[in-house]
Amino acid sequence: MAQVEALVRYLGVTSPPGRIPAIVERCSIKHLRDDVVSRKLRTPLVDREKKPFAYRKGEIYFNALTHF
C-alpha cells in the first residue's frame, strides 16, 4: 500500500478515503487470476491446454550504476 500512496503523492492527485486500499486489493494476484479465469481480463498467455493464465513474478531490482 505504501507504493500506491507514494505514487499518489508523486502524481499530486487526491484520493478519497478508502480508495487506496481498494486499489491495492483490486490489483492483488488473486483478483488478477480471477479476472483472467472469468475472462474479464484478456491475456496472451495460455498453457498447454490453451487456457489463459496469470503470471506475475516478484520484484525487480535495478541499479543503473551497476547495470551498464
Side-chain angles (χ1 to χ4, degrees), residues 8-53:
V8 167
R9 281 191 307 275
Y10 175 78
L11 294 174
V13 296
T14 58
S15 175
R19 180 69 178 216
I20 292 175
I23 291 169
V24 171
E25 175 65 22
R26 192 70 193 136
C27 294
S28 71
I29 191 70
K30 180 195 177 306
H31 276 98
L32 176 61
R33 286 184 187 139
D34 291 348
D35 287 350
V36 168
V37 169
S38 69
R39 301 199 187 248
K40 285 183 190 176
L41 178 66
R42 292 185 176 202
T43 176
L45 303 174
V46 292
D47 62 15
R48 291 183 180 158
E49 290 140 13
K50 304 296 183 199
K51 293 180 185 175
F53 69 93

